């Protein structure tokens, strides 16, 4: 038997065991078979479902009438490149949401009997900027944006979300330390086509820094060389410049 751990978006995963249910491995395998592939990274792949998560009998008692489409970020348990394991990543992602950062809502962790884990989260109805550029979606008319949408407004809100991540929240004892995404790029910035808002995804390299002496963009593992990350503001500026060149040039990059 595997486990399906579902949590309220208002409760940190690291602090709660509510909603843990045993589910047969066949159910998890069925998720994979019925799923649609969305993308793959260095340490995980993302799948989604045409059905709505709330219709699952296993989940209905926990989610109630909240019908939402779900995506699973399935981790490669053999990967040596994982920095944040599912519970760590999901916990930081929830903290980011509570700071007013638009990111997929986390519902919980799915784990099968062999130990493979996945983060169950909201599926965003939209595309990453990397997909938009790579498939030339804007100039080919593949997507339709809201009537009042502007790219200036999109980037302004993205910048505001980065600032919210970096705030030291003294008024909230649960999440006072700044959050650093450390992997801001076209592929981790989505546009929600229902409202035109930016969405920050993939907190796999993110972290919180609790002392001013620590460099948030350097990671010193117990074994191996120091790892350096791109500053969030630099990553956002680079993504904005690349995307702006695409909009002007009219061709995929």
């Amino acid at each position: 038997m595997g486990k399906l751990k579902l949590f309220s978006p208002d409760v940190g995963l690291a602090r709660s065991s509510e909603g843990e249910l045993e589910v047969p491995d066949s159910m998890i395998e069925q998720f994979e078979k019925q799923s649609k592939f969305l993308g793959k990274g260095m340490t995980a792949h993302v799948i989604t479902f045409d059905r709505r998560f709330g219709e699952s009998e296993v989940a209905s008692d926990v989610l109630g009438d909240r019908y939402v489409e779900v995506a699973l970020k399935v981790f490669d348990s053999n990967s040596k490149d994982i920095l944040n394991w599912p519970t760590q990543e999901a916990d930081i992602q929830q903290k980011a949401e509570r700071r007013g950062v638009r990111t997929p809502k986390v519902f919980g962790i799915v784990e099968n009997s062999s130990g493979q884990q996945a983060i169950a989260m909201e599926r965003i109805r939209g595309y990453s900027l990397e997909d938009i550029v790579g498939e030339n979606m804007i100039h080919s008319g593949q997507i339709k944006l809201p009537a009042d949408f502007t790219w200036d407004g999109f980037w302004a809100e993205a910048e505001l979300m980065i600032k919210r991540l970096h705030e030291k929240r003294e008024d909230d004892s649960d999440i006072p330390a700044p959050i650093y995404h450390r992997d801001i790029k076209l592929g981790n910035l989505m546009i929600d086509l229902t409202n035109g808002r930016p969405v920050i995804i993939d907190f796999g390299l993110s972290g919180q820094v609790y002392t001013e002496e620590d460099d948030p963009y350097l990671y010193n593992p117990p074994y191996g060389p120091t790892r350096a990350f791109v500053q969030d503001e630099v990553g956002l500026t680079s993504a904005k410049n690349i995307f702006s060149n695409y909009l002007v040039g009219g061709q995929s990059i």
Side-chain angles (χ1 to χ4, degrees):
M1 298 289 283
K3 294 180 180 179
L4 175 62
K5 301 178 182 179
L6 295 172
F7 302 85
S8 164
D10 298 322
V11 179
L13 288 172
R15 296 182 292 103
S16 174
S17 60
E18 295 178 5
E20 181 174 315
L21 302 169
E22 283 197 345
V23 295
D25 280 348
S26 59
M27 175 183 171
I28 298 174
E29 292 170 0
Q30 187 178 25
F31 279 177
E32 287 274 11
K33 291 178 181 178
Q34 294 180 349
S35 67
K36 175 183 177 182
F37 179 79
L38 288 183
K40 179 176 175 59
M42 291 180 59
T43 62
H45 66 275
V46 180
I47 57 177
T48 190
F49 311 95
D50 293 330
R51 62 182 296 187
R52 293 184 180 274
F53 196 41
E55 294 173 358
S56 165
E57 292 181 1
V58 174
S60 61
D61 290 340
V62 180
L63 292 178
D65 295 328
R66 181 174 38 159
Y67 292 103
V68 291
E69 290 183 288
V70 69
L72 285 185
K73 180 176 181 178
V74 183
F75 286 72
D76 178 2
S77 55
N78 295 319
S79 175
K80 298 180 180 179
D81 296 316
I82 295 176
L83 183 61
N84 289 330
W85 286 94
T87 299
Q88 295 171 296
E89 179 175 342
D91 189 52
I92 292 177
Q93 190 166 322
Q94 284 191 314
K95 290 176 180 177
E97 182 190 0
R98 280 152 45 198
R99 290 173 178 238
V101 174
R102 180 71 173 102
T103 187
K105 291 181 180 295
V106 171
F107 302 126
I109 305 295
V110 178
E111 180 180 343
N112 63 20
S113 58
S114 64
Q116 186 176 29
Q117 293 183 329
I119 302 175
M121 67 183 82
E122 168 194 13
R123 179 190 178 185
I124 301 298
R125 278 295 179 177
Y127 297 98
S128 74
L129 298 189
E130 183 177 64
D131 288 339
I132 291 175
V133 170
E135 299 181 28
N136 195 23
M137 292 183 178
I138 298 292
H139 300 291
S140 63
Q142 295 181 52
I143 61 176
K144 183 178 181 181
L145 299 171
D148 58 348
F149 174 83
T150 67
W151 284 109
D152 285 343
F154 176 92
W155 292 110
E157 184 171 2
E159 291 174 5
L160 177 60
M161 290 197 294
I162 295 297
K163 291 180 180 178
R164 287 173 175 169
L165 285 176
H166 293 180
E167 290 176 355
K168 186 174 182 180
R169 297 286 292 270
E170 298 289 359
D171 61 326
D172 190 335
S173 59
D174 179 53
I175 51 172
I179 296 172
Y180 296 88
H181 186 278
R182 305 195 293 202
D183 197 22
I184 297 294
K185 57 185 179 181
L186 289 178
N188 289 336
L189 292 169
M190 292 187 69
I191 180 170
D192 186 335
L193 295 181
T194 65
N195 52 31
R197 294 187 61 195
V199 184
I200 297 178
I201 64 172
D202 193 352
F203 284 74
L205 297 182
S206 63
Q208 288 187 275
V209 176
Y210 294 90
T211 65
E212 295 182 359
E213 292 77 17
D214 293 331
D215 187 329
Y217 297 105
L218 288 180
Y219 172 63
N220 297 298
Y223 306 98
T226 297
R227 188 171 181 179
F229 302 98
V230 176
Q231 295 182 13
D232 291 346
E233 293 86 354
V234 172
L236 186 65
T237 298
S238 176
K240 181 179 179 180
N241 290 340
I242 294 172
F243 198 83
S244 296
N245 289 336
Y246 159 69
L247 288 179
V248 173
Q251 297 180 349
S252 60
I253 299 174

